[in-house]
Amino acid sequence: MTGVSVSHQEISSGRPVVRVPIKPTAHDLATGRDPERVRIFDTTCRDGEQSPGAAMNAEEKLTLARQLAVLGIDILEAGFPAASNGDFEAVRRIAEQVGNRPNPPIICGLARATAGDIERCWEAIQPAAFPRIHTFIATSDIHLEHKLRKTRSEVLDIITEQVRLARSLCADVEFSAEDATRSDPEFLHEAFRRAVAAGATTLNVPDTCGYITPNEMYTLIRGVYENVPGIQTGDVILSVHGHDDLGMSVANFLAACEAGVRQVEVTVNGIGERAGNASLEELVMALFVRRNYYARVFGRDDIASGQSEQQLTNIQFKEIAKTSRMVSSLTGMVVAPNKAVVGANAFRHESGIHQHGYLRNAATYSIMSADVVGAATNAISLGKLSGRAAFRARLAELGYELNEDELNRAFVRFKELADRKREITDADLEAIVSGGLKEIGVEHFKLKRVQVQCGSASIPTATVTLLVMETGKEETDAAYCAVNAVVAQHGLDVELLEYSVSSVTSGIDSLGEVMVRVRDRRMNRIFSGYAADTDVVTASVQAFVNALNRCSRNTNTPQPIHPQHSSA
C-alpha cells in the first residue's frame, strides 16, 4: 500500500499479549474476512445522526449505507426501528438493499430491552442476509435509581428474558450494558454472564458519558474478559462503545483492544451526541500506522514479522476521505480543518522547517500520506459536453446510486453548473448530489429568484422571490428576514442557529457550499439545510429555504423516540 514509510524502535506497553481465538462466524465464512480482525461496527446512521440537526432522511441513510459497505465496515447499525415509522422504513430498506449486496455487512438494529422494541427491530432487519439485534439496558446505579427505577435483581431478570427473546428470533444478538463504565464491576460481570447464558453472541461495554480514562478502560475490559465465560474461548466477541466528552474515546478504544476487545463501535467523522463518538477514521488509521505494534499486542506474530500482509481491520482505506465528505454533506456537520485524518489541514505543512524536511523525506514530518485515505487532489472528471451516461458512471464510481428521477434532477443541476464553471470536479459532483438527496419530499417553499445589492458605503438590500407551493402565490421581500416574514404567514417560526460557508474546490469559479442549522420554536427541534452554488448568496438563501422545507415536512410528524432518553 502507498504511504509514508516509518522505521523506529517499537516501545513495549508492558501489558500481556492478548490473542483472542475468535471462532469464525457465518458472516466471516461467507465474506472471507479474518475472524481475528478488529471488527468495525459503524453507528453513523444511528448514534451519529443523534447529533442535533444531523438527522438524515431515508434516501440519505440508504446512500450512506451503500458507501459504508464499500468502505468495508463489518457491522452497520442502521437505526432504531422503534423510534418512528420513518426510521423503521429506513432500516428495512437498508436491510433489503445493502444487506443483500455482494460481500455485505451485518445489518444491525437497536432495541431497548423490551419485547415491543425487539420484535419491531427484528421485523425491520429480517430481510438482511446477516441480521443482528442489538438490545440494551443500563447497569449503573445512577441509571437504575433515576431512569429505570428498578433494582439490580429486576434488571438481571430483564436481561435474561429479553436477550432470550432476541435470540429466539435472530442467531446474532448483541447485548449492551448502558453506562457500563460507571457500573459496579461485579454487577456488570453478572449482567454479562446472564446475557451470555440467554444467548448473546456479542457483549458491548459502552462508555455512555465519555467518562473513563484509557488505563481504567484497560482494567475494566480485563475484568470482563477474565470473569465472563465465552470470551476467552472465542464464542463471544467483546465490544466497546464510547463518547468523546473528555477527548479520550479513541485512546480508550485502543486500550480496550489491548485488553481483549475485538469490536469497536464508531462513527465517521466522530459525529454523535454531545461531543460525538469515537472516530472511525482515527481508530482505523491508528491500527494501520501502528500495525506492527498492535499486531504484537494481539499476538499476531505473522503480521508483526511481515510474513502476512493481512491488515488488522477490513476497512478499504482509500474510501475514507470520500466517506467523510459524504457524511459531512448529508448531515450538515462540517469537519474541522485540524481534524485528524480527514481535516483539510491533516496533510498540509506550513512551517518552513517542516516543509524543508518533508520535501527531502516525507517521513520526517508525516506518518501517513493523503493518498492512503483517498484524500489526494480531486481529478477533473466532467465538462459541459459530457453526457448522461458519463455522468451516471462517474456518480456510481463516487458511491452514488440514483434512480431515474434523482438522476434527472442531478443532471439538470450538473448542466447548469457546467455552463458557469469550466471544470467540474468530483467534489462538485458530490455537492450536487448531496444537495439533491437532502431535499427529497414535498417542497412547501421554493426559491425562484434572489437579487442582492451591497457595497462598502451602501446599505445591503436583497430581493427574494419565494413561491409558496400550497397557494401558488409569489411573495417577494428582502433577505433572510424576508424569507422569515413570508414563511411565518404559513405557520413556521424558526431561529437561525448556525450558518457556515466553505469552498468546495479552489479557483474563482469554485462552488460555494453553505450549511445552515435552524431551530423550529414550535417543536423545539433542529433541522439543517444545505446548498451549493457558484454564487454564495444564492446558495445561502437556498440552504435556508431547504432547512425551512425540512421543518415544514416534519410539522405533523411526532418527535422520534430517543433510545436512551425515553423510558421503555
Side-chain angles (χ1 to χ4, degrees):
M1 174 169 290
T2 304
V4 176
S5 176
V6 182
S7 298
H8 70 284
Q9 183 65 41
E10 297 283 357
I11 300 172
S12 171
S13 67
R15 293 170 175 167
V17 169
V18 180
R19 182 159 191 173
V20 185
I22 296 174
K23 296 176 181 177
T25 65
H27 181 252
D28 295 335
L29 295 172
T31 60
R33 304 187 192 202
D34 177 10
E36 294 189 44
R37 73 193 181 284
V38 176
R39 288 160 164 77
I40 302 301
F41 178 116
D42 183 272
T43 184
T44 308
C45 289
R46 201 278 299 171
D47 208 342
E49 75 149 359
Q50 288 176 199
S51 302
M56 293 178 279
N57 61 38
E59 291 298 331
E60 292 169 328
K61 279 192 174 185
L62 188 57
T63 295
L64 176 56
R66 291 189 185 109
Q67 177 57 28
L68 290 171
V70 173
L71 179 64
I73 64 164
D74 299 290
I75 304 97
L76 195 164
E77 189 166 52
F80 175 38
S84 66
N85 290 334
D87 212 33
F88 174 88
E89 288 302 325
V91 174
R92 188 168 180 83
R93 289 180 65 188
I94 290 171
E96 290 171 342
Q97 298 182 38
V98 181
N100 289 285
R101 65 189 294 145
N103 198 24
I106 293 167
I107 304 299
C108 175
L110 184 69
R112 294 166 296 186
T114 68
D117 273 25
I118 290 170
E119 289 165 355
R120 185 71 165 159
C121 179
W122 174 239
E123 188 181 351
I125 63 171
Q126 189 175 4
F130 300 98
R132 173 183 293 185
I133 295 174
H134 179 194
T135 187
F136 74 95
I137 194 170
T139 53
S140 68
D141 288 335
I142 189 170
H143 275 247
L144 266 63
E145 179 183 354
H146 296 288
K147 187 178 82 166
L148 298 178
R149 298 182 181 178
K150 295 186 183 298
T151 65
R152 288 185 174 186
S153 178
E154 288 174 321
V155 167
L156 291 176
D157 288 343
I158 290 171
I159 292 171
T160 297
E161 179 182 357
Q162 300 305 328
V163 172
R164 185 175 291 151
L165 170 63
R167 185 57 191 267
S168 73
L169 299 171
C170 184
D172 189 354
V173 176
E174 177 171 339
F175 171 72
S176 286
E178 185 185 11
D179 205 24
T181 58
R182 296 194 297 171
S183 300
D184 172 17
E186 293 301 321
F187 179 59
L188 180 65
H189 300 163
E190 180 58 26
F192 281 148
R193 284 192 287 265
R194 289 286 192 100
V196 171
T201 51
T202 300
L203 298 176
N204 184 44
V205 180
D207 185 23
T208 304
C209 296
Y211 175 75
I212 205 167
T213 65
N215 282 337
E216 290 174 314
M217 177 65 88
Y218 179 87
T219 302
L220 178 65
I221 296 298
R222 287 302 297 170
V224 174
Y225 183 84
E226 293 168 357
N227 289 282
V228 179
I231 300 173
Q232 295 187 46
T233 59
D235 296 293
V236 176
I237 296 171
L238 191 52
S239 171
V240 69
H241 175 105
H243 289 262
D244 208 36
D245 297 71
L246 296 176
M248 293 188 285
S249 60
V250 171
N252 284 334
F253 279 27
L254 292 170
C257 288
E258 292 192 32
V261 156
R262 289 300 179 268
Q263 176 181 290
V264 289
E265 304 196 354
V266 292
T267 62
V268 178
N269 298 341
I271 67 171
E273 280 201 88
R274 304 186 311 278
N277 290 53
S279 164
L280 179 151
E281 60 277 3
E282 292 177 22
L283 189 129
V284 164
M285 292 311 294
L287 292 173
F288 168 68
V289 173
R290 301 303 308 274
R291 176 170 169 263
N292 288 347
Y293 170 81
Y294 284 105
R296 290 191 181 95
V297 171
F298 298 164
R300 300 296 303 270
D301 293 334
D302 56 329
I303 295 177
S305 65
Q307 297 175 11
S308 170
E309 293 297 319
Q310 185 76 45
Q311 293 297 327
L312 298 175
T313 71
N314 189 60
I315 294 299
Q316 306 303 303
F317 305 110
K318 285 189 177 294
E319 297 292 328
I320 287 176
K322 181 197 302 182
T323 310
S324 170
R325 291 194 301 267
M326 181 181 287
V327 168
S328 179
S329 294
L330 294 178
T331 63
M333 303 290 289
V334 179
V335 176
N338 63 330
K339 171 77 166 65
V341 182
V342 293
N345 295 342
F347 301 101
R348 293 177 179 173
H349 300 270
E350 187 73 19
S351 162
I353 295 175
H354 283 216
Q355 290 174 342
H356 179 72
Y358 182 84
L359 290 172
R360 290 196 168 191
N361 186 328
T364 54
Y365 286 103
S366 186
I367 58 173
M368 57 184 164
S369 58
D371 64 302
V372 172
V373 296
T377 304
N378 288 303
I380 297 171
S381 53
L382 298 172
K384 66 179 183 179
L385 299 180
S386 300
R388 285 169 57 87
F391 180 69
R392 184 199 289 269
R394 188 63 192 133
L395 290 182
E397 291 173 9
L398 292 173
Y400 292 96
E401 299 176 21
L402 306 184
N403 60 37
E404 281 302 313
D405 184 53
E406 293 164 351
L407 181 68
N408 289 338
R409 290 203 308 263
F411 189 66
V412 169
R413 295 190 65 201
F414 162 71
K415 284 296 188 179
E416 290 173 349
L417 178 61
D419 284 336
R420 291 177 286 162
K421 194 172 187 293
R422 186 178 53 153
E423 297 168 344
I424 309 297
T425 68
D426 290 349
D428 293 325
L429 295 177
E430 289 168 346
I432 288 171
V433 178
S434 295
L437 286 173
K438 272 196 169 298
E439 307 320 318
I440 289 173
V442 178
E443 288 184 305
H444 297 279
F445 309 103
K446 189 170 184 178
L447 180 65
K448 293 205 68 178
R449 184 173 68 96
V450 58
Q451 182 176 324
V452 176
Q453 292 180 320
C454 60
S456 60
S458 63
I459 299 174
T461 60
T463 300
V464 176
T465 302
L466 198 64
L467 181 63
V468 182
M469 302 305 287
E470 288 93 336
T471 62
K473 177 183 177 184
E474 291 186 8
E475 297 172 288
T476 306
D477 210 327
Y480 270 27
C481 292
V483 175
N484 256 337
V486 171
V487 299
Q489 299 173 29
H490 298 272
L492 285 187
D493 181 15
V494 300
E495 171 189 7
L496 181 64
L497 298 179
E498 185 179 341
Y499 168 83
S500 65
V501 182
S502 59
S503 174
V504 174
T505 52
S506 59
I508 195 169
D509 60 353
S510 169
L511 275 181
E513 187 176 54
V514 178
M515 295 182 186
V516 300
R517 212 176 300 278
V518 302
R519 182 173 67 87
D520 188 323
R521 293 188 178 98
R522 305 161 306 158
M523 299 182 287
N524 195 30
R525 290 171 65 182
I526 297 174
F527 298 94
S528 62
Y530 167 91
D533 197 279
T534 51
D535 185 331
V536 72
V537 176
T538 300
S540 299
V541 179
Q542 185 64 65
F544 188 49
V545 171
N546 290 343
L548 296 176
N549 275 315
R550 285 201 153 192
C551 291
S552 182
R553 284 197 292 270
N554 286 276
T555 296
N556 298 314
T557 303
Q559 178 83 15
I561 298 171
H562 190 293
Q564 293 162 318
H565 299 169
S566 305
S567 67

